[in-house]
Amino acid sequence: MAIQDRLSGNEAVSIAIKQINPDVMPAFPITPSTEIPQFISQFIANGEMDTVFVPVESEHSAMSACIGSQSAGGRTVTATSSCGLALMFEMLYVAASNRLPITMAVVNRALSGPININNDHSDSMGARDSGWLQIYAENAQEAYDNFFQCMKIGEHPSVQLPVMCCQDGFITSHAVERMELIETEKVKAFMGEYKPEHYLLNPDQTLAVGPYDIPQYYMEHKKAQAVAMENARAAILEVAKEFEAMTGRKYGMIEEYCMEDAELAMIIIGSSAGTAKEACDELRAAGVKAGVIKVRVFRPFPAEEIVAALKGVKAVAIMDKTESFSANGGPMGAEVKAAMFGKLGDVLVTNYIYGIGGRDVKVDDLKSVYDKLAEMVKTGKSPEHYQYLALRD
Amino acid sequence: MKKLTEIRWHGRGGQGAKTASLLLADVAFSTGMYIQGFPEYGPERMGAPITAYNRLSNEPLRVHSNIYEPDFVAVVDETLLDSVNVTAGLKPEGAIVINTAKSPEEILPKLNGYKGKVYTLDAKKVSLATIGKNIPNTPMLAAVVRASGVMDEQLFLDNMQASFKHKFATKPEVVEGNMKALSMALEEVKVYDGSK
């Protein structure tokens, strides 16, 4: 029997880490992810887990220590947000290129400046090309469920890449919601033991980690890394299937909501996807054929799945909770449009920047997006460039 | 049938409005409801106005925004009535609960013509008499349960007793005072029905 509980996203992820009981957790506190290392430290002090917690002096050091311990052969986790993730930036690439399946809880928060502690996706979206997998949660339940899956996907022999397990800062991390926990014995059986193929503490196999790579081989190593990211697609679905068998909760690359006959679609990530479903229900009740595509996995990017889900759609709004200053829209806008190119020529497209720096995203805001889509269908025109949602006059 | 109750809490940083919203979520969860309890975060300052929220429902909750048209509002600090529009969006068929020594009729002129029910409770007096300290959120919780009717009052008291016993496992002597605060609040809370 699953255990009913009421937890915040940070509590839920901390319990997931406790249940996994990884070998090492180096971390440096930063709002809103601070509670995760705090809870883990308490669990260790109480004797509830025996992970080695490494207090470090910065996030750059946190990720460096993660790289050290995972290279040594230890299962390693950490947590961060915003500027903490930015300070790790250099080491993120080192972790990924050394094929180290570190699992990191990212509690999404706006990057400075202006300094702001609230939610948007500018931190993890800024690191989207670092070679890490990225999986996003809608609520505390998903943050918890995803954490196990993230680790198992990363450790999959065909993948061996680090994974960011993302949840929305404060909105998910600090809101208490009802959710289900999995029994620890089941978690342990699901996670299994981490047995890396190559690791530094193996006396039978000498190994160099992170040496200089010369032009004659650099491209081949990068290609191997790209193949691993490609392999992650199958691993994500395989792990999701196994997770569903354990819990009954189904996960995929994307989640389609009311998309079977949808004419107006919204593509969105994270906590606002729940709000979008409510907006969608209200519009459906009024006879509007609205639908939602929630992007769960952003890296690797679910291009095929999104294109398949958009079949039959007349207009689509791509929602970005970050500004990329390309002067041409946000990262999701760019990715989705690239995926659609040559395949869905007739679909009208618009790209929104919404909810950045913690701007509250209301049901009515998202309904106004569908109104815009209906107007686009009426006029047969996509707006130029991109737009901001619910901007003050 | 979907039944959703949305509550907005107004308090000042450090007074326990956030804790009250989490406690209410907790006790509603223990009666089998789907719950959300969350504060509106910003730079935290002791004494500054803060807002916290509850969604309580018999069905899973999906909306992740603040609450703009609450069914009920709880004001933990009456000085906020002068600076914050606490009745903004409040449904007339709902109610407002205010921590004050004044009667509902005396407080009414400060409520921007609000037409619904007004509950008042001197939570400071109740908590000083029962807990021995000014901890207004515990009695306010009882007043909100009365005003909102989200759960049976006896069920609320039983679940709170279990919750206090768990929370204060190392100092069981505190449980009695907190339980007295809840039952005294239920006796002391006053109501004025503006619709009648």
Side-chain angles (χ1 to χ4, degrees), chain B residues 124-136:
Chain B
K124 181 181 175 184
K125 185 183 93 182
V126 171
S127 67
L128 283 175
T130 53
I131 308 171
K133 281 187 241 170
N134 184 10
I135 304 175

Side-chain angles (χ1 to χ4, degrees), chain A residues 78-135:
Chain A
T78 188
T80 198
S81 294
S82 182
C83 308
L85 184 67
L87 190 52
M88 287 179 179
F89 202 73
E90 176 193 5
M91 304 318 288
L92 294 177
Y93 285 73
V94 177
S97 61
N98 279 302
R99 309 289 300 276
L100 300 170
I102 298 156
T103 312
M104 174 155 63
V106 175
V107 182
N108 287 111
R109 162 187 155 184
L111 278 175
S112 296
I115 189 165
N116 175 294
I117 62 165
N118 297 99
N119 169 246
D120 67 32
H121 299 150
S122 53
D123 47 4
S124 58
M125 283 295 165
R128 66 189 181 275
D129 298 340
S130 61
W132 286 60
L133 276 75
Q134 291 190 344
I135 301 187

Side-chain angles (χ1 to χ4, degrees), chain A residues 4-6 117-118 138-139 170-171 174-178 257 271-272 274-275 277-278 281 360-363, chain B residues 2 18 22 25-26 29 32-39 41-44 61-68:
Chain A
Q4 291 287 337
D5 211 332
R6 65 304 200 191
I117 62 165
N118 297 99
E138 178 182 322
N139 50 35
F170 293 116
I171 300 168
H174 283 65
V176 172
E177 290 187 312
R178 174 168 154 181
Y257 186 78
S271 60
S272 298
T275 311
K277 289 173 190 170
E278 183 73 22
D281 279 3
D360 199 27
V361 183
K362 296 171 277 197
V363 174
Chain B
K2 182 174 167 183
K18 176 196 157 188
L22 297 182
D26 213 51
F29 164 81
M33 296 173 92
Y34 288 90
I35 52 100
Q36 285 181 347
F38 58 101
Y41 273 95
E44 279 132 56
L61 296 160
R62 299 180 302 188
V63 174
H64 291 107
S65 69
N66 297 335
I67 293 165
Y68 298 89

Side-chain angles (χ1 to χ4, degrees), chain A residues 190-243:
Chain A
F190 179 77
M191 296 312 302
E193 214 176 300
Y194 176 50
K195 289 180 190 146
E197 202 181 334
H198 307 287
Y199 58 102
L200 277 171
L201 294 182
N202 181 358
D204 302 325
Q205 190 185 52
T206 52
L207 177 70
V209 174
Y212 184 79
D213 203 353
I214 52 175
Q216 286 83 346
Y217 289 101
Y218 186 89
M219 274 185 76
E220 285 69 21
H221 287 139
K222 282 290 155 193
K223 176 64 185 173
Q225 210 183 314
V227 168
M229 187 59 90
E230 190 62 49
N231 293 344
R233 295 181 197 281
I236 288 162
L237 298 178
E238 185 188 316
V239 170
K241 213 168 176 184
E242 212 181 311
F243 189 83

Side-chain angles (χ1 to χ4, degrees), chain B residues 64-82:
Chain B
H64 291 107
S65 69
N66 297 335
I67 293 165
Y68 298 89
E69 289 172 5
D71 299 294
F72 303 97
V73 163
V75 182
V76 184
D77 186 323
E78 70 169 302
T79 65
L80 290 169
L81 297 176
D82 299 320

